[in-house]
Structure formats: C-alpha cells, structure tokens
Amino acid sequence: MKIKYVLFVIALVFSHCLEAKPKTVKGKIIYENDSIDVLFVIPFAYSTEELKVWGLQNKVKFINSATRKKSIVKPSQEKEIQFYYEENEGFTKIRMISTYNRVKQISGSESFLDNIFLKIDIEGKMNLYTYYYRENNPGDSATTGGLFVVSSKIIQRQDDNMLMPRYSYLKKDLTEYITDCPEAKRTVENSVNSLNDIKKVVEIYNVYCK
C-alpha cells in the first residue's frame, strides 16, 4: 500500500513538472485594418522552458499594453498574433495565423472550431504551417499530462485547400497536390523522406513556380 502511494506521489510530481507555466511576452494582435501592442500570457514547460505552441491554437490570453486590461483572443476575432521569445541565446519570431479550420479531425475537440491559429513557418505562393494534435502513441512528440502532443505539417497554395500529408503516404499526397510545378514535384520524388523535408519542397515551389 505504501509503495503504491509513493509511486502515486512520484507520478503526480512528474506530471506537475511537465505542466505549463505562464510567462508574459511582448507581441501584437493584428486585425484586418489595425493592430494593438499586448503582453501575451504564453505557456512554457516547467522542466525544459520549451514554448508550448500547441496551447495557442484555440485561444491566447493577453494583457492590453495601453489599458492593462486582461482578456482572451480567439482565432475567429482577428487575422494574426505574433511575438518573440528568447531561445538559444537569440530571439525567435512566432506568427500564428487565423485561418478557417480545414484541418481534418484527428484528436481533440479543437478540430470542431470554425477557426484555428496555425503556426506559420513559411509564407509565400505556398504556405507551410505546423499543426499540433494529441494522440496516444508517441511519434514526433512532447509529453504533456500523460498525453502526447504531435506536430504535423500543412501546406497551402494561395486560394487553395490545405493539405496535411499523411506520414505513410508523403510522396503520394504531395505529388497529387503539387501538379503545377515540375521543379517542386521532382524535389518530392527525389528528396522527401520525412515531414521535415516538406520545408525544402515549399521553398522550391516559392522560388520556381508561378
């Protein structure tokens, strides 16, 4: 009985260490015709100081820099949020774009929202986003509260539907989507072996394709 209790306490402490702690960082909320300076209340992991981007897809807490009023911004209310945070002795700019939620439901209630914030990695004729979702089995993941948060990539041509390539069918999904750019299609066929390789495809598309 005592052993079970000790194990329970250890598990509780470990889980607490993985939970997010909030920090305030300077940023902007960008509306269609305006923007305001704010302090975002951003979740970071206790143990690693890692920014928990996946906690920002549905809503973000902020403090208005002018009025000091606390509030919550949702992806249906504006165009974009952006902020910098310190990482590896430098600052990384994070942009979260509000977009209509075309992402298929994978796991979690967030997929039922009309709009969602997506982290944008590359912006151009083809955009590259990172999307986060929960699953039971670890992959490219970070543990949180006993769950695994997994990242996947989404691409989108201007004024076109989004594509979230399936890991087991990367080349098939990408070649079927990219029908208008031979250079990018060759890159898919010759160089794509993992989700990280999609970045190169998007870069090629934005340089060589109309």
Side-chain angles (χ1 to χ4, degrees):
M1 189 71 175
K2 288 184 179 180
I3 294 176
K4 288 184 179 180
Y5 177 76
V6 171
L7 291 174
F8 172 77
V9 171
I10 291 173
L12 192 64
V13 171
F14 180 72
S15 174
H16 177 73
C17 290
L18 293 171
E19 290 176 356
K21 63 177 178 179
K23 289 184 179 181
T24 55
V25 296
K26 292 181 180 179
K28 283 183 180 291
I29 297 175
I30 300 176
Y31 299 94
E32 195 65 41
N33 299 307
D34 195 12
S35 65
I36 59 172
D37 295 322
V38 300
L39 290 172
F40 288 113
V41 182
I42 303 295
F44 285 79
Y46 271 105
S47 54
T48 63
E49 295 292 318
E50 177 190 5
L51 171 67
K52 290 199 166 186
V53 180
W54 59 84
L56 307 176
Q57 290 187 147
N58 303 326
K59 61 182 179 181
V60 186
K61 296 178 181 179
F62 73 93
I63 303 169
N64 189 306
S65 297
T67 65
R68 308 305 297 176
K69 182 181 177 181
K70 296 180 180 179
S71 190
I72 291 175
V73 64
K74 295 182 179 181
S76 59
Q77 297 172 318
E78 73 296 304
K79 183 178 179 182
E80 178 181 343
I81 63 171
Q82 55 181 238
F83 59 91
Y84 289 88
Y85 82 101
E86 193 168 1
E87 180 184 42
N88 299 327
E89 300 181 357
F91 285 88
T92 300
K93 185 177 183 179
I94 300 292
R95 296 177 61 208
M96 305 285 290
I97 305 296
S98 174
T99 182
Y100 179 72
N101 187 8
R102 296 183 179 92
V103 180
K104 275 187 174 183
Q105 181 188 0
I106 298 175
S107 177
S109 61
E110 62 264 275
S111 297
F112 295 106
L113 296 178
D114 291 334
N115 286 70
I116 190 171
F117 281 129
L118 288 178
K119 178 178 174 289
I120 188 163
D121 302 314
I122 297 176
E123 185 174 29
K125 289 172 283 188
M126 179 178 285
N127 293 340
L128 175 66
Y129 302 96
T130 301
Y131 172 64
Y132 299 90
Y133 60 95
R134 299 178 182 90
E135 69 173 21
N136 295 324
N137 297 318
D140 176 17
S141 59
T143 309
T144 173
L147 299 173
F148 287 96
V149 177
V150 180
S151 65
S152 189
K153 297 297 181 182
I154 293 173
I155 60 173
Q156 182 182 30
R157 285 182 298 233
Q158 291 180 351
D159 302 320
D160 200 354
N161 291 328
M162 291 179 171
L163 170 72
M164 184 162 61
R166 297 166 294 176
Y167 183 78
S168 300
Y169 300 93
L170 275 179
K171 291 188 177 184
K172 180 179 184 295
D173 289 350
L174 289 169
T175 52
E176 288 179 356
Y177 184 82
I178 303 172
T179 57
D180 56 338
C181 183
E183 291 85 355
K185 201 165 186 176
R186 278 195 295 271
T187 303
V188 172
E189 293 168 351
N190 299 328
S191 303
V192 170
N193 297 297
S194 71
L195 291 175
N196 291 331
D197 296 329
I198 296 176
K199 179 180 179 181
K200 184 176 181 180
V201 176
V202 175
E203 290 172 341
I204 293 292
Y205 187 97
N206 287 335
V207 170
Y208 292 103
C209 305
K210 295 181 179 181

